[in-house]
Amino acid sequence: MRLYDTLKRELNELKPIDGDTFGFYCCGPTVYGPAHIGNFRTFVVQDVFRRVLELGGVATKHVRNLTDVDDKTIRDSQAAGKTLTDFTRLWTEKFHTDCAALNCLEPHIEPSAVEHIPQQITMIEELIENGHAYAAEDGSVYFKISSYPEYGALSHLEERELDLGRTQEARANNSDEYEKDSVADFVLWKSRRDEDGENFWQSPWGEGRPGWHLECSAMIREYLGDSFDLHSGGEDLVFPHHENEIAQSKCSCGGDFAAHWFHITHLLVDGSKMAKSKGNFYRLEDLIAKGHSAAEVRYTLIGAHYRKQMNFTLSGLHAASEALGKLRKAERALAEKAGVTDADAPSYEELLGLKDLGLFDNAWLGLNEDLNTQRAIGAMFGALKRAQNEDNALVQWKGLHFILHALGVQLPEIVEDASVEIPQEIQKLAEQRWEARAAKDWAKSDELRDELKAQGWIVKDGKDGWSVSEL
Ligand code: AMP
Ligand code: ZN
């Protein structure tokens, strides 16, 4: 498989350094509220990445952390009147439920920052000893950027017009919420402040807690070692989070750190950045309440190549619903021709050993060339069109299942008549009806059902969404 590397700015052939298992680390969620669908673009793309490696015969070790201590988790746990542990446990469970609904494989290891305080303290001690960090009077410890001349290689700092002069000063950035273009010594250990409440640990520098960037470096060292295969996150993490990780790890452990950097472009909603204030902020549950399924959300999130900007819209979700319906119909037709049913669907072991993907090899090539999900989906539909005219229906049907597994796409249970275009006003009425139903406004829901009927459409309620068909 070839993948674009943010650091080298070229496609790299991926091979495990140890010749056996491909170890990779994904920066995980900050568990202070439900993850939004932007976060899930990143996590779903990382999931497809892992599936493609594994189906290609490469064993993986997938480590994804939980950020369960930082400014936001502390602030919001206090506002909720809960202990940090209880509060972050709640949002961790919610995150797991959403990941499962989106058909994401569980990482092999999911370490949390709070569970690795001693490892973080050890790393700071080493950095101080090596002259890369210093303690301030208040007991906070900072990484000294001027001690690491390679700082900024990943984000190509030298090409950006930043005030590099400031790196020479100890202009301490004491916040987890980083400023985009501030290059400054960053905090490794934050001395205890009143607003931290009971959330502090003992250290050689007094009571306090680790800075946000440090946890990933410490957990990577623990689970993947000083040199490992790949590191991933959303594009916002390139600077400064990943730059800081590189600096901390290389200056303490001395290894090569990540051999490859894989960043996912941010998801936009209705053409702009997702923000609660703009009303374009969606969580999975918001979309389910609007009558969409998690499978549609996943399908939408992988609809564009991960390096392209992607614009999320509700009408895009409807298109996903239609595409999944069409996919199911075509899959059924192929299965009938091959004389098989759902019960015969190939097991994972069988997929692993599959040599002949039939017409679907083009889709597989797309996935192996910079994880081009967009190209793979296009090629899959192209292959489906032609597969009906081939003699080897069973080979084609298995090839299709191979690609579906690689994409993590689950086909809908109910076959809708996807060939019928649903007019926008009908979609709108059905959506309003689903919302009325969710709000238990039965009178309005019935009224809207009658309205749809009067216009020649019948609405059906599924487990997690609506569907309409012509009367
Ligand atoms: P957080 O919970 O904020 O630490 O973010 C979890 C992951 O989601 C990180 O890899 C972020 O880079 C990523 N992320 C945040 N916002 C977006 C977005 N709008 N689109 C894609 N990925 C995002
Ligand atoms: Zn990280």
Side-chain angles (χ1 to χ4, degrees):
M1 178 185 191
R2 296 200 324 150
L3 195 71
Y4 183 81
D5 184 342
T6 316
L7 177 66
K8 301 191 190 95
R9 289 178 168 173
E10 61 188 24
L11 292 175
N12 265 348
E13 184 75 39
L14 298 183
K15 282 203 188 85
I17 297 170
D18 69 2
D20 180 38
T21 302
F22 193 89
F24 69 104
Y25 184 91
C26 303
C27 294
T30 309
V31 278
Y32 73 112
H36 56 66
I37 53 162
N39 300 132
F40 281 118
R41 179 183 197 193
T42 290
F43 296 129
V44 165
V45 166
Q46 289 164 341
D47 183 65
V48 178
F49 167 71
R50 171 172 159 192
R51 287 165 177 268
V52 172
L53 275 181
E54 291 181 356
L55 277 176
V58 180
T60 66
K61 183 174 177 184
H62 177 189
V63 184
R64 185 181 65 210
N65 71 305
L66 294 164
T67 296
D68 55 357
V69 55
D70 76 333
D71 296 341
K72 291 180 281 191
T73 44
I74 291 178
R75 180 194 66 203
D76 290 2
S77 64
Q78 286 168 343
K82 286 190 164 36
T83 63
L84 187 64
T85 314
D86 285 349
F87 182 74
T88 55
R89 190 188 301 120
L90 184 87
W91 292 115
T92 300
E93 281 166 11
K94 170 74 179 139
F95 176 66
H96 288 161
T97 309
D98 285 353
C99 283
L102 288 165
N103 199 27
C104 290
L105 300 167
E106 285 174 27
H108 299 106
I109 305 173
E110 195 177 45
S112 98
V114 166
E115 288 163 4
H116 295 79
I117 303 287
Q119 290 88 335
Q120 296 180 69
I121 291 178
T122 304
M123 200 168 248
I124 300 174
E125 286 176 323
E126 288 172 3
L127 288 170
I128 293 179
E129 221 171 275
N130 297 343
H132 291 291
Y134 57 91
E137 268 176 20
D138 71 343
S140 292
V141 183
Y142 296 93
F143 185 92
K144 190 171 168 185
I145 292 199
S146 59
S147 75
Y148 182 59
E150 291 88 38
Y151 187 86
L154 181 69
S155 60
H156 306 278
L157 262 188
E158 74 285 0
E159 293 172 16
R160 295 158 55 198
E161 289 179 6
L162 298 181
D163 181 3
L164 291 174
R166 285 187 296 180
T167 64
Q168 307 309 320
E169 303 163 22
R171 201 179 67 83
N173 176 8
N174 198 14
S175 167
D176 286 333
E177 307 269 2
Y178 44 81
E179 296 158 41
K180 258 255 162 290
D181 280 347
S182 109
V183 183
D185 288 1
F186 58 90
V187 71
L188 299 167
W189 184 262
K190 303 172 87 161
S191 63
R192 185 179 171 192
R193 294 172 302 178
D194 288 346
E195 57 265 37
D196 290 337
E198 293 311 301
N199 303 303
F200 63 89
W201 289 264
Q202 299 295 338
S203 82
W205 316 282
E207 293 168 345
R209 61 185 170 94
W212 170 49
H213 308 296
L214 188 63
E215 61 178 75
C216 293
S217 284
M219 292 187 266
I220 286 170
R221 173 190 239 177
E222 178 94 0
Y223 298 105
L224 293 168
D226 298 341
S227 305
F228 64 107
D229 292 302
L230 178 140
H231 197 320
S232 177
E235 61 178 348
D236 59 313
L237 299 187
V238 174
F239 180 84
H241 182 55
H242 287 162
E243 292 285 13
N244 293 354
E245 281 189 32
I246 294 173
Q248 291 158 166
S249 293
K250 287 206 170 177
C251 294
S252 58
C253 311
D256 296 330
F257 205 51
H260 187 108
W261 287 93
F262 170 35
H263 290 105
I264 293 105
T265 306
H266 263 196
L267 180 78
L268 298 181
V269 175
D270 297 327
S272 57
K273 218 178 145 174
M274 208 173 349
K276 273 188 187 151
S277 53
K278 287 190 201 150
N280 65 355
F281 183 92
Y282 295 120
R283 294 159 293 204
L284 183 61
E285 70 207 45
D286 301 327
L287 299 172
I288 290 190
K290 284 183 183 296
H292 302 284
S293 69
E296 289 164 17
V297 176
R298 179 173 175 118
Y299 187 87
T300 306
L301 292 175
I302 58 173
H305 185 218
Y306 76 90
R307 278 207 279 142
K308 273 201 196 148
Q309 207 154 57
M310 178 179 184
N311 188 26
F312 182 88
T313 59
L314 288 179
S315 60
L317 269 186
H318 281 292
S321 160
E322 282 174 29
L324 286 172
K326 275 185 195 156
L327 208 49
R328 180 49 140 174
K329 235 175 138 184
E331 188 268 351
R332 277 301 80 199
L334 205 51
E336 266 168 37
K337 197 169 173 216
V340 289
T341 66
D342 276 357
D344 304 306
S347 65
Y348 180 61
E349 281 65 36
E350 198 182 334
L351 290 178
L352 270 181
L354 208 60
K355 295 276 176 290
D356 186 358
L357 302 185
L359 294 167
F360 293 87
D361 56 355
N362 232 334
W364 181 235
L365 283 180
L367 288 174
N368 281 281
E369 188 64 8
D370 203 17
L371 202 68
N372 198 334
T373 48
Q374 190 173 353
R375 177 178 150 196
I377 289 174
M380 175 172 70
F381 273 101
L384 269 173
K385 256 192 202 151
R386 287 178 288 130
Q388 273 300 332
N389 306 322
E390 298 283 314
D391 294 334
N392 52 354
L394 189 61
V395 170
Q396 305 298 344
W397 181 73
K398 285 186 180 173
L400 169 63
H401 275 274
F402 185 93
I403 296 301
L404 290 175
H405 185 85
L407 294 169
V409 165
Q410 292 168 306
L411 296 178
E413 286 305 323
I414 315 154
V415 188
E416 289 161 26
D417 191 355
S419 60
V420 178
E421 283 273 318
I422 307 165
Q424 280 216 328
E425 64 270 19
I426 298 299
Q427 284 188 19
K428 212 164 161 194
L429 282 175
E431 242 165 55
Q432 284 168 354
R433 192 191 147 269
W434 183 262
E435 277 164 21
R437 205 172 159 271
K440 299 201 173 20
D441 186 347
W442 309 119
K444 186 159 181 213
S445 159
D446 286 347
E447 198 182 299
L448 286 162
R449 178 191 288 278
D450 291 344
E451 171 68 35
L452 281 161
K453 212 167 171 183
Q455 299 207 33
W457 293 82
I458 182 114
V459 61
K460 272 186 262 162
D461 296 319
K463 191 161 52 68
D464 51 12
W466 54 265
S467 62
V468 287
S469 50
E470 283 180 305
L471 267 176

